[in-house]
Amino acid sequence: MTKERELPLLPLRGILVFPYMVIHLDVGRERSMAAIEKAMLDDRIILLTSQKETEIDSPNPDDLYEIGTIAEIKQLLKLPGGTMRILVEGITRGRILEYLQEDEYFEVRIEELAEEKRAMTPELETLIRGMTHQFEEYAKLGKRVPLETIGTVLAVEEPGRLADIVASHLNLKVPDKQTILEAMSIELRLERLTELIMREIELLELERRIGQRVRKQMDKAQKEYYLREQMKAIQKELGDKDERQAEADEYREKVAKAKLPKEAEEKALKEIDRLEKMPPASAEGTVVRTYLDWLLVLPWNKTTRDKIDLIKAEEILNEDHYGLEKVKERILEFLAIRKLTPKMKSPILCLVGPPGVGKTSLAKSISRSLNRKFVRMSLGGLRDEAEIRGHRRTYIGALPGRIIQGVRTAGTKNSVFLLDEIDKMTSDFRGDPASALLEVLDPEQNSTFTDHYLELPFDLSQTLFVLTANTLHTIPRPLLDRMEVITLSGYTEDEKVNIASKYLVPKQLEAHGLSKEVFTLEDDILLKLVQGYTRESGVRGLERQVANLCRKIAVRWVKEEWEPHTLTAEDLESTLGAPRYHFQTAAKAPEIGAVTGLAFTEVGGVVLTVEVTPLPGKGRLTLTGQLGDVMKESAQAAWTFIRAYASQLGIEEDFYDRTDLHIHVPEGATPKDGPSAGITMATAMASAIAKRYVRSDLAMTGEITLRGNVLPIGGVKEKVLAAHRAGIKVVVLPEENRKDFEEIPENVRKVLEFHFVSRIEEVLKLALLPIAHSDKVQEDVPVHSVYSPSGIQDSDPGQDERTTTC
């Protein structure tokens, strides 16, 4: 028979009270203290129920378990701070039927669940024995239950009471204890209890095994430490010192101070352990020591702070270089973006231009404006992949590649790294260094660049790589695809004069110990020096001539044969000799079969004459002047066009049945190649066959197709400057090169007349004089051999080493 009654309720957090259990409870919540006071006023009986969630400070009925323990308050003690401590004893289970009050304190109507008395059955006895056996095992493993308590607990004969007392001594979570409290059947309660004890035993066994393993490891480490200390003490007493041990300890100390990345530190410690076990004189030991030295010296985490001051950077770039506006603008863009996003990947810049225009010195200026370390590596003639990626340590004398060596030299991982002359790399049986550079120059890969020697990834993503090249066509396409190409064209004469005046002359005066008072170079004399004594796109030759001039004058100054004054043209010739170069000038009068073309060489633009002479024959074409394959094919295309469009050009259609053509491009010692002389050769052929004169003040450049279309060419600025130098008045360019018009200096644009053409007919209309005018010219000018200027070959003994690109 069940009994109902009304009791105050005390919610418990993180604890559960079983029947027959005596425990102290600390109470601090207002509703809980009100419930205790109510119980003390009545018969000291209260219902103890656990919360489902410990974190809830003010629980609702839904937050409490339905079944709890009816308990009697044995003692009450009020503590300082307004809290209470009570001693309670569990009596029996109780189920909540209804909440009568929730505001001031919880008051509930409950149903008493009295323990039914059961006779001992074989099944019950078996369950009790299994449970007590498991509890004894738990007590032995856990060592949390005293032996006296075990004896007292197991002496209880009543099964239900025994289960509750055992459960109260287990270190279980509240939900697990609640399942036992809610088990009204004694058999079910014993089964659940046995299952929970077995689970706890498994956990204790696992904990014991882990503890033993840890203890063994600790014992082993302590033993090794103890033995090492003993060995040290013995060696100290004997006056001996273990060199291997001392060296290994020294390396370990260096590794600890170096703050290497985790992977590198593990590798270093592993190599130190190997070194410690090797004989001191072992050859392998030397390899390991060298490897460790490299690991420790590399700047794994060292960086310099970028000095991002755009105004200062612009001042530095302008101070070091005259002109080169595109490059300076690109560097300032990089600095501005770097200031906005410090973690951006560094670009790969490739500076392309003729020798001596300042590519290498520009890279130095970049490092100065960024406040970064500068490293230079020349790739000219490099043919071994190991130079980039290093050798594996299995080889004798193995070392890291030159990229890692450069990083070590810089001492920081965010240096400015110059890779000079990248277009002059080659490949052979030892590998392709250009392919090895792909990983270095790819911003997506170089954060984990792996050198064969180190066998560890090194972060190159913060390094600013600057590459230089004279031409792009020798750089492999995949490598070129990873670079940002910035083209540096040759300097104009005006720019060279400015550079000499601002940079070269002061530099050489200081280098030769001369003051500014000894001699002065005016701009007009510098121009004569540029025109008569140098032929180049850059200023290296000009600097050599200025140095030569300083040396000659220094000798006279020391001999006291020189009076300080401003240099004249006569002084220039008396010190340096007669001018070495004479630029080709425009023809003085129109001629037949001789057309002025424009070409681009490694030293800048030049003017050359294409000569065509018709001869009796059967349509053969003869080409001389050391022409390359592309230029020969261009001549053949022009010849075919003339034959195909003879009637439109006013030429007899069957002329080729009785005419051979000989095409010659003077300066036969200089190799020439390229398609841009196509319209020049076509015009010369048309002039020779039609016997029409060609304008002497006109120069042209452009590629021709079989259908007579004019295609674009390169080096427009250099070619136009050469035309201007030669006294040309009219320049014919392909229509598609109109976009390059802005690159031509404004002072040159104002003087020259430009025509942009898309068909060869337009070229012929501009270049060939009318027939009536040609007849008049023929009467006025005596017939002579086709014009062949003195050209640039007169005084350049080394020009046969250069190639002219037409």
Side-chain angles (χ1 to χ4, degrees):
M1 178 179 175
T2 60
K3 178 181 176 183
E4 295 184 5
R5 60 191 297 184
E6 295 178 4
L7 290 175
L9 182 145
L10 176 63
L12 304 178
R13 284 199 292 188
I15 194 170
L16 186 143
V17 177
F18 283 98
Y20 314 110
M21 183 176 171
V22 179
I23 189 171
H24 279 99
L25 300 173
D26 287 337
V27 182
R29 291 184 284 190
E30 290 183 6
R31 283 199 296 183
S32 299
M33 289 193 288
I36 291 170
E37 287 174 357
K38 171 66 176 166
M40 294 299 290
L41 290 173
D42 295 341
D43 53 0
R44 295 184 171 228
I45 303 299
I46 192 167
L47 181 68
L48 305 175
T49 307
S50 298
Q51 290 180 199
K52 295 176 182 176
E53 299 290 338
T54 310
E55 294 79 14
I56 300 172
D57 193 58
S58 182
N60 295 321
D62 292 338
D63 299 323
L64 302 173
Y65 286 110
E66 185 182 345
I67 293 177
T69 301
I70 301 169
E72 181 184 358
I73 301 173
K74 295 289 186 180
Q75 288 180 1
L76 178 113
L77 179 64
K78 291 192 176 181
L79 301 173
T83 59
M84 294 180 180
R85 176 171 291 173
I86 58 174
L87 179 67
V88 296
E89 181 183 2
I91 300 171
T92 186
R93 289 168 172 77
R95 178 183 284 113
I96 300 172
L97 300 176
E98 182 184 359
Y99 282 85
L100 303 175
Q101 179 180 317
E102 298 178 24
D103 297 334
E104 188 180 350
Y105 60 89
F106 284 117
E107 186 169 1
V108 292
R109 184 166 60 80
I110 66 160
E111 173 190 7
E112 280 190 26
L113 303 173
E115 190 76 71
E116 59 182 19
K117 295 202 175 183
R118 291 281 308 277
M120 189 64 70
T121 62
E123 182 186 357
L124 195 58
E125 188 173 355
T126 303
L127 287 171
I128 291 170
R129 282 186 181 180
M131 186 271 291
T132 53
H133 175 70
Q134 295 294 337
F135 180 63
E136 286 176 342
E137 283 290 319
Y138 171 81
K140 286 177 186 176
L141 284 171
K143 296 181 181 178
R144 294 189 181 98
V145 184
L147 291 173
E148 307 81 44
T149 306
I150 297 171
T152 307
V153 170
L154 298 181
V156 177
E157 294 180 356
E158 190 180 335
R161 184 175 180 180
L162 174 64
D164 288 342
I165 293 172
V166 168
S168 67
H169 283 87
L170 296 178
N171 185 25
L172 300 174
K173 294 179 180 177
V174 171
D176 292 334
K177 289 184 177 181
Q178 186 68 30
T179 60
I180 296 170
L181 186 68
E182 292 176 357
M184 304 310 298
S185 165
I186 294 174
E187 287 85 352
L188 179 61
R189 197 183 308 167
L190 288 168
E191 285 176 4
R192 286 184 180 176
L193 186 58
T194 305
E195 184 181 337
L196 288 171
I197 294 172
M198 289 175 69
R199 191 189 70 186
E200 287 297 309
I201 287 171
E202 284 181 11
L203 292 174
L204 289 171
E205 280 283 353
L206 182 60
E207 186 180 329
R208 183 179 63 81
R209 285 199 299 271
I210 292 171
Q212 283 180 345
R213 193 158 59 242
V214 171
R215 192 159 49 251
K216 279 181 183 177
Q217 289 174 351
M218 288 178 65
D219 289 345
K220 184 181 177 184
Q222 286 176 345
K223 181 181 176 183
E224 287 179 358
Y225 174 77
Y226 177 70
L227 290 173
R228 282 200 182 96
E229 290 300 316
Q230 272 192 331
M231 192 184 297
K232 286 179 185 177
I234 292 167
Q235 286 169 349
K236 190 175 179 181
E237 287 296 325
L238 292 173
D240 295 339
K241 187 177 181 183
D242 187 351
E243 293 179 9
R244 285 180 296 174
Q245 181 66 40
E247 186 180 33
D249 290 343
E250 186 181 346
Y251 272 121
R252 286 191 183 95
E253 189 177 337
K254 286 180 180 177
V255 168
K257 288 180 181 177
K259 295 181 181 178
L260 303 177
K262 186 180 178 183
E263 196 173 348
E265 186 175 349
E266 288 174 359
K267 182 81 172 173
L269 292 174
K270 186 178 177 183
E271 293 296 322
I272 291 169
D273 290 339
R274 284 183 60 212
L275 180 64
E276 197 173 6
K277 295 168 186 173
M278 289 179 190
S282 168
E284 183 67 17
T286 306
V287 173
V288 173
R289 287 185 196 94
T290 308
Y291 179 76
L292 287 170
D293 290 338
W294 271 101
L295 281 186
L296 292 168
V297 81
L298 285 176
W300 297 93
N301 299 304
K302 292 179 186 175
T303 55
T304 52
R305 189 174 179 182
D306 286 352
K307 184 171 61 178
I308 304 178
D309 184 344
L310 293 185
I311 297 171
K312 184 69 176 173
E314 192 169 11
E315 285 176 6
I316 289 171
L317 292 170
N318 289 332
E319 179 187 327
D320 291 350
H321 293 86
Y322 181 84
L324 305 179
E325 300 304 326
K326 277 188 181 178
V327 193
K328 293 176 182 175
E329 184 183 347
R330 180 63 187 89
I331 300 307
L332 294 176
E333 287 171 1
F334 168 68
L335 286 173
I337 303 299
R338 190 83 182 180
K339 189 166 188 176
L340 297 173
T341 55
K343 294 184 179 178
M344 72 168 287
K345 292 178 179 176
S346 292
I348 312 295
L349 303 179
C350 183
L351 307 177
V352 181
V357 294
K359 300 185 293 296
T360 303
S361 61
L362 191 64
K364 292 179 182 176
S365 298
I366 292 171
S367 72
R368 198 156 73 91
S369 61
L370 286 170
N371 193 34
R372 290 189 179 189
K373 300 286 185 181
F374 177 75
V375 185
R376 178 183 174 274
M377 171 184 170
S378 178
L379 298 175
L382 195 74
R383 59 180 64 206
D384 189 354
E385 179 200 350
E387 291 286 331
I388 305 294
R389 281 217 182 102
H391 296 85
R392 298 198 180 276
R393 282 190 289 155
T394 50
Y395 295 101
I396 296 171
L399 281 174
R402 292 177 55 189
I403 298 295
I404 293 295
Q405 289 181 34
V407 170
R408 175 186 178 174
T409 303
T412 63
K413 61 189 251 184
N414 66 335
S415 59
V416 173
F417 205 124
L418 174 65
L419 298 173
D420 222 350
E421 311 291 358
I422 194 168
D423 56 327
K424 301 192 176 48
M425 281 192 303
T426 56
S427 60
D428 63 5
F429 64 93
R430 286 169 287 190
D432 183 7
S435 300
L437 272 177
L438 290 176
E439 187 183 4
V440 177
L441 301 180
D442 191 339
E444 300 300 323
Q445 297 182 48
N446 63 9
S447 58
T448 55
F449 171 70
T450 304
D451 187 273
H452 287 159
Y453 181 81
L454 294 181
E455 296 177 336
L456 290 168
F458 190 88
D459 185 6
L460 293 175
S461 62
Q462 295 182 47
T463 302
L464 175 56
F465 286 99
V466 180
L467 296 90
T468 69
N470 296 130
T471 56
L472 289 178
H473 66 270
T474 55
I475 303 175
R477 189 74 197 174
L479 193 58
L480 190 62
D481 187 53
R482 286 157 170 81
M483 306 174 196
E484 183 175 341
V485 177
I486 300 174
T487 305
L488 282 71
S489 56
Y491 292 118
T492 63
E493 288 176 352
D494 182 55
E495 287 173 335
K496 288 182 181 179
V497 168
N498 275 290
I499 290 168
S501 177
K502 293 180 180 178
Y503 303 100
L504 305 182
V505 173
K507 177 183 172 184
Q508 292 302 326
L509 282 173
E510 185 181 350
H512 291 84
L514 299 172
S515 63
K516 295 179 181 177
E517 290 75 26
V518 176
F519 70 89
T520 308
L521 272 168
E522 297 291 344
D523 286 356
D524 57 335
I525 302 301
L526 281 173
L527 183 60
K528 289 183 181 296
L529 185 65
V530 169
Q531 291 178 340
Y533 296 89
T534 64
R535 172 168 294 132
E536 57 181 348
S537 294
V539 290
R540 280 207 189 102
L542 179 57
E543 185 170 11
R544 280 194 290 271
Q545 291 302 330
V546 172
N548 192 11
L549 189 65
C550 289
R551 288 196 303 273
K552 303 287 187 189
I553 292 174
V555 172
R556 297 187 189 181
W557 177 253
V558 172
K559 288 182 176 181
E560 298 183 356
E561 296 173 1
W562 179 267
E563 289 294 329
H565 65 275
T566 301
L567 290 186
T568 62
E570 291 76 19
D571 291 326
L572 214 56
E573 289 199 23
S574 67
T575 52
L576 299 180
R580 296 177 59 197
Y581 302 107
H582 300 278
F583 285 96
Q584 181 176 329
T585 55
K588 294 179 181 178
E591 298 182 57
I592 294 175
V595 182
T596 305
L598 300 174
F600 178 63
T601 72
E602 288 185 2
V603 296
V606 294
V607 174
L608 52 80
T609 301
V610 175
E611 304 172 349
V612 176
T613 300
L615 302 165
K618 295 185 178 181
R620 285 190 309 156
L621 191 64
T622 305
L623 301 168
T624 56
Q626 207 175 150
L627 309 184
D629 291 340
V630 177
M631 200 168 181
K632 287 178 181 177
E633 291 169 1
S634 190
Q636 191 66 51
W639 174 233
T640 303
F641 171 78
I642 296 293
R643 289 177 59 179
Y645 291 83
S647 60
Q648 289 94 319
L649 299 175
I651 301 169
E652 296 178 14
E653 292 190 18
D654 60 345
F655 73 93
Y656 54 84
D657 287 337
R658 56 183 183 278
T659 307
D660 288 347
L661 282 187
H662 183 162
I663 301 176
H664 178 68
V665 183
E667 302 174 27
T670 305
K672 308 167 192 73
D673 204 0
S676 64
I679 64 171
T680 312
M681 290 191 281
T683 305
M685 290 178 190
S687 167
I689 297 167
K691 293 184 171 53
R692 290 175 62 179
Y693 282 80
V694 181
R695 290 181 60 173
S696 58
D697 62 347
L698 179 142
M700 62 181 71
T701 180
E703 183 178 352
I704 190 174
T705 68
L706 283 176
R707 294 173 296 163
N709 294 324
V710 180
L711 301 183
I713 43 79
V716 172
K717 178 184 173 184
E718 287 79 4
K719 291 177 179 179
V720 171
L721 291 176
H724 173 61
R725 250 188 338 253
I728 298 293
K729 297 291 187 290
V730 182
V731 176
V732 177
L733 296 171
E735 177 64 39
E736 291 183 46
N737 282 115
R738 191 184 288 272
K739 64 183 185 301
D740 302 312
F741 187 65
E742 294 298 324
E743 292 181 7
I744 301 167
E746 191 174 351
N747 62 326
V748 176
R749 276 185 282 169
K750 287 179 180 177
V751 177
L752 296 181
E753 178 186 338
F754 292 88
H755 292 276
F756 295 91
V757 298
S758 54
R759 292 282 304 169
I760 188 66
E761 291 88 349
E762 299 173 56
V763 180
L764 297 177
K765 188 176 179 181
L766 289 165
L768 299 181
L769 295 175
I771 296 174
H773 186 72
S774 295
D775 293 339
K776 183 177 183 306
V777 171
Q778 198 166 8
E779 291 171 7
D780 296 342
V781 180
V783 177
H784 54 78
S785 60
V786 177
Y787 172 66
S788 177
S790 58
I792 61 173
Q793 74 273 23
D794 304 350
S795 52
D796 186 2
Q799 72 172 1
D800 57 335
E801 297 174 4
R802 292 195 297 266
T803 299
T804 300
T805 305
C806 297

